């Protein structure tokens, strides 16, 4: 059975300007994907190409094995069975909520339309709101209506173009989880475009990190964070610093945090940078008999209280500064010393980057 979506070596150009370069990814039936990257990286252009709004200059896009885009040939958007949710919701202010949701159900009988609208209102948690108008709803409720309208014709793929960006920051992650649950209940595959990592992690099964019109890695959020394929991915996803090191032999790296072992094989004597995430550094409390591995001592330079956690900026004796995330019960003041152990389960090593 072919994947729901297959993008093969797709490029998009505006005249002589190349916008997308050889993008390749697949999305399985029932999966939820995300295109993550900074503004101008090409993620919305790729979404528009999938929808059929943007012609491609190389490669192909296929839905369930049918090629819908190729150079010089593009299946019209209305024939792709793809739904879209836009950044500004694009609800019709003069139509009721029920009529907004039913807008794409032309050709359905009145009875089937009514049943579908009522089912979707229940699904998005807005039962009883059918006679309301968009201006009577909150931003989060309007977003659910836009989602229900896009789901109404039962598309085989739903595309969401930064749908949460106009909402309050505190609502985004929660709403992303809610939308994911709604899509799961409908059995609808989707691709989200966002620049917000937490949104991506809360929403997607697979995430594609984009930069400069290229897809750098298409993977789970876990692997993007713990097993980044490139330095650019490592620096974009999550927080972390690069610690200088040198291969002692094919499996051991000497660093200011001690001698570390790697599953990857290196060249003895070669200089490298080791990625250290805030959660890689474990605070070892005085008298902790369970601590194992080499310990280093660092001075607390700064700390940020995050409720359940403190994010510390610490400085090693070498002058290297690192971030350390600990439970907020570990209350260490700036200027005090902390004993730290490096959790080596995900040692990520890159060749040394020179200026």
């Amino acid at each position: 059975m072919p994947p729901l979506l297959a993008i093969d070596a797709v490029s998009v150009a505006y005249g002589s300007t190349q916008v997308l370069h050889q993008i390749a990814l697949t999305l399985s039936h029932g999966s939820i994907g995300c295109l993550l990257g900074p503004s101008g990286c090409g993620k919305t252009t790729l979404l528009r190409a999938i929808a059929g709004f943007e012609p491609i200059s190389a490669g192909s896009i296929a839905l369930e094995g049918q090629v819908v885009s190729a150079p010089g040939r593009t299946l019209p958007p209305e024939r792709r069975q793809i739904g879209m949710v836009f950044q500004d919701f694009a609800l019709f202010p003069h139509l009721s909520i029920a009529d907004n949701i039913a807008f794409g159900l032309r050709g359905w009988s009145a009875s089937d339309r009514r049943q579908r609208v009522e089912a979707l209102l229940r699904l998005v948690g807005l039962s009883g709101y059918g006679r309301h108008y968009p201006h009577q709803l909150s931003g989060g409720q309007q977003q659910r209506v836009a989602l229900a309208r896009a789901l109404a014709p039962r598309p085989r793929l739903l595309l969401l173009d930064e749908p949460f960006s106009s909402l309050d920051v505190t609502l985004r992650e929660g709403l992303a989880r809610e939308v994911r649950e709604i899509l799961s209940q409908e059995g609808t595959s989707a691709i989200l475009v966002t620049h917000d990592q937490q949104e991506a992690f809360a929403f997607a099964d697979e995430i594609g990190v984009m930069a400069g019109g290229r897809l750098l890695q298409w993977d789970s959020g876990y692997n993007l964070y713990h097993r980044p394929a490139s330095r650019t991915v490592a620096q974009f996803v999550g927080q972390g610093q690069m610690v200088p090191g040198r291969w002692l032999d094919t499996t051991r790296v000497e660093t200011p945090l001690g001698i570390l072992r790697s599953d990857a094989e290196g060249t003895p004597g070669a200089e490298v940078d080791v990625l250290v995430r805030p959660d890689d550094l474990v605070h070892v409390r005085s008298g902790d008999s369970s601590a194992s591995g080499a310990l280093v001592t660092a001075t607390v330079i700064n700390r940020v209280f995050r409720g359940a956690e403190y994010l510390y900026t610490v400085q090693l004796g070498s002058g290297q500064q690192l971030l350390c995330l600990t439970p907020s019960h570990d209350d260490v003041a700036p200027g005090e010393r902390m004993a730290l152990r490096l959790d080596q389960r995900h040692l990520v090593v890159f060749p040394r980057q020179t200026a």
Side-chain angles (χ1 to χ4, degrees), residues 182-329:
I182 290 167
L183 293 174
S184 177
Q185 290 182 47
E186 275 285 290
T188 302
S189 300
I191 294 182
L192 168 76
V193 159
T194 184
H195 61 272
D196 187 301
Q197 296 176 34
Q198 298 310 313
E199 253 178 50
F201 292 155
F203 187 81
D205 302 307
E206 295 178 286
I207 301 169
V209 177
M210 295 188 65
R214 301 180 188 278
L215 183 65
L216 305 181
Q217 187 173 350
W218 178 254
D219 217 326
S220 66
Y222 183 92
N223 283 341
L224 291 175
Y225 187 85
H226 289 296
R227 300 185 180 100
S230 69
R231 184 186 295 266
T232 303
V233 173
Q235 292 173 334
F236 185 78
V237 176
Q239 295 175 293
Q241 280 77 33
M242 296 292 179
V243 173
R246 181 177 60 87
W247 287 103
L248 289 177
D249 50 39
T250 57
T251 60
R252 295 185 304 156
V253 181
E254 182 180 35
T255 76
L257 292 166
I259 296 175
L260 313 177
R261 290 192 175 274
S262 173
D263 293 333
E265 287 194 5
T267 303
E271 294 186 334
V272 296
D273 291 322
V274 178
L275 175 66
V276 178
R277 300 287 196 191
D279 50 314
D280 290 335
L281 289 174
V282 179
H283 178 209
V284 180
R285 300 157 196 82
S286 177
D288 186 353
S289 58
S290 64
S292 61
L295 301 182
V296 296
T297 302
T299 303
V300 175
I301 303 299
N302 192 14
R303 64 180 182 176
V304 177
F305 182 66
R306 294 186 169 181
E309 300 163 326
Y310 267 121
L311 180 64
Y312 289 97
T313 302
V314 300
Q315 183 169 300
L316 305 178
S318 64
Q320 171 85 49
Q321 290 193 1
L322 299 171
L323 296 176
C324 174
L325 194 64
T326 76
S328 59
H329 294 294

Side-chain angles (χ1 to χ4, degrees), residues 76-271:
E78 64 272 16
R79 294 177 56 193
R80 297 192 179 203
Q81 292 180 267
I82 289 178
M84 287 204 71
V85 178
F86 298 97
Q87 185 173 341
D88 59 359
F89 310 154
L91 299 179
F92 301 111
H94 63 289
L95 295 182
S96 69
I97 299 307
D99 287 341
N100 263 281
I101 295 173
F103 185 79
L105 300 180
R106 294 186 180 91
W108 290 43
S109 70
S111 174
D112 287 345
R113 268 201 315 272
R114 184 173 59 254
Q115 290 180 24
R116 181 62 172 157
V117 169
E118 289 174 355
L120 286 167
L121 284 171
R122 287 194 300 272
L123 183 66
V124 300
L126 291 174
S127 293
Y129 282 80
R131 295 185 178 181
H132 287 63
Y133 286 83
H135 72 272
Q136 296 175 299
L137 304 186
S138 68
Q141 290 172 325
Q142 290 182 35
Q143 184 58 268
R144 292 183 184 92
V145 174
L147 176 65
R149 183 180 62 183
L151 289 172
R154 295 192 173 94
R156 53 182 171 180
L157 177 64
L158 185 66
L159 305 178
L160 303 101
D161 189 5
E162 302 219 35
F164 313 119
S165 61
S166 63
L167 302 178
D168 187 277
V169 174
T170 58
L171 296 176
R172 291 181 191 172
E173 187 177 338
L175 188 55
R177 286 195 298 268
E178 288 181 28
V179 170
R180 176 185 170 84
E181 180 61 27
I182 290 167
L183 293 174
S184 177
Q185 290 182 47
E186 275 285 290
T188 302
S189 300
I191 294 182
L192 168 76
V193 159
T194 184
H195 61 272
D196 187 301
Q197 296 176 34
Q198 298 310 313
E199 253 178 50
F201 292 155
F203 187 81
D205 302 307
E206 295 178 286
I207 301 169
V209 177
M210 295 188 65
R214 301 180 188 278
L215 183 65
L216 305 181
Q217 187 173 350
W218 178 254
D219 217 326
S220 66
Y222 183 92
N223 283 341
L224 291 175
Y225 187 85
H226 289 296
R227 300 185 180 100
S230 69
R231 184 186 295 266
T232 303
V233 173
Q235 292 173 334
F236 185 78
V237 176
Q239 295 175 293
Q241 280 77 33
M242 296 292 179
V243 173
R246 181 177 60 87
W247 287 103
L248 289 177
D249 50 39
T250 57
T251 60
R252 295 185 304 156
V253 181
E254 182 180 35
T255 76
L257 292 166
I259 296 175
L260 313 177
R261 290 192 175 274
S262 173
D263 293 333
E265 287 194 5
T267 303
E271 294 186 334

